[in-house]
Amino acid sequence: MMQRLSGKNFSIFIQGCRTNQYEGEAIAAALEAEGAVCGEESPDIVVIVTCTITAVADRKCHKLIRRARRENPRAVIAACGCYAQKMTEAERKLLDIDIVLGNRLKHRLPGLVAERLAGTAPRVEVDGGIEKENIWDGLTLDRPRLHTRAFLKVQEGCNHYCSYCIVPSVRGKPVSRPLTEAVDEARRIAESGCPEIVLTGVHLGLYDELPRLVRRIGALPKIKRLRFGSIEPFAVNDELLAALADCPAFCEHLHMPLQSGDDGVLSSMKRGYRAADFAKIAARARGVLGDSLHISTDLMVGFPTEDDAAFRRSLDFVRGLGFGKVHVFPYSPREGTPAAAMEQQRSEAVHRRAAEALELAAELHEDFCSRWIGRECAILTEESDGTAAKGLTRNYIRVTAEAAAKINEEIIVIPAKYREDGLITGGISENIQFNGDVSVI
């Protein structure tokens, strides 16, 4: 087969969620299949996988695109994803982008780039994919390129319409990847030497046959670990918990976004549950999957209807539930959402609450991680310098250990001390440096 991009170099910059991470890696695989080679210096092609979840994300994408054009004036610059989906013609011209490609159509990118490089196509804007609710973006992944674990996208779109969220407008309605196709891709990834897969989607809980998918992928002989990226609490039902409990590869970690622990704010957010409902789901999950289960969450502060009393109730709920990792996000108004039309909080109140919430998050993370000090833990090595290794426990605690381990080797360690990003074993320097996860190919 003719490779249309033979001899061309490319770089990819990926912003945002785990779904974007999968899509960026799959785009890299598609470009390589057309003969292109990943190269950071003087690329012929620069792809930016964009995010628009917050105003900060928009600014980051804007800055990244501008820098890509400034540093690569003759390259084909392609922007795809959520920020690209809502980009105006004026923005495209201002940023001097060659190809703007919306969601569900990223599989077309190599062909569009080849046409642009050959001079047979004008600048391109394609954004019609999400209007066809049953369309699935035909991206595939053979092996991870950015991480030792592989993200596997199995679901697209959302119809929940939380009042603050722009995602349904830029990702479209829900669609599930065919189960057999998802299992086949998981098998190929595992056979490439990757022992850990993270199932991801825009709203993973809306996947049509999630319990069955867990059982099928978990049964693959070369899969050592299976995780979820994130799952909404109302999707964690008895059938799913039973499948997780029956899957030896499933790791004891669930990231369930809470957003607020106050019922009034949850109602204004249109989250579809009360704080007590969330607590019952968490208790049921711990009852089925065990006390070592790590439940992490997202907490939004400064939502328009959140007063100081509601914020206090929210923090009290978070403290009482015993979360491990809490990601704190200041509310960011998104044009076109109901919340954006509400009277906004003063910025000083949002900053004050965010700072207090982050203090609690740090306290909870230390409390949870410290439960494993002095206890044997298995970590799957993600980074190693020959004398020290860094990896994750099954329940998603990052551990740095004094060990001459290979990448993707599972080793047993005994943590001795907590530090900000997780645990360390005896003999490890506080200042040891590793590359960590990156978002550039």
Side-chain angles (χ1 to χ4, degrees), residues 417-432:
K417 186 179 179 181
Y418 174 81
R419 70 176 182 187
E420 187 176 353
D421 64 341
L423 297 171
I424 59 176
T425 64
I428 287 292
S429 167
E430 291 282 351
N431 299 316
I432 191 167

Side-chain angles (χ1 to χ4, degrees), residues 104-148:
R104 306 204 185 185
L105 298 171
K106 300 181 187 74
H107 65 281
R108 295 183 55 186
L109 190 60
L112 294 172
V113 168
E115 291 173 5
R116 180 69 181 158
L117 284 169
T120 58
R123 296 194 177 202
V124 186
E125 284 189 86
V126 184
D127 63 1
I130 65 167
E131 303 302 325
K132 302 173 183 177
E133 59 185 82
N134 292 324
I135 197 171
W136 178 262
D137 199 347
L139 294 169
T140 61
L141 185 64
D142 53 349
R143 59 180 175 81
R145 288 158 173 79
L146 288 177
H147 310 272
T148 53

Side-chain angles (χ1 to χ4, degrees), residues 366-384:
E366 181 172 3
D367 288 348
F368 182 79
C369 292
S370 295
R371 290 165 54 186
W372 277 266
I373 291 176
R375 297 167 58 181
E376 286 191 348
C377 299
I379 67 168
L380 190 64
T381 303
E382 295 183 334
E383 301 174 64
S384 177

Side-chain angles (χ1 to χ4, degrees), residues 159-172:
N159 59 3
H160 194 65
Y161 291 100
C162 297
S163 65
Y164 55 83
C165 187
I166 195 69
V167 168
S169 300
V170 295
R171 281 283 185 175

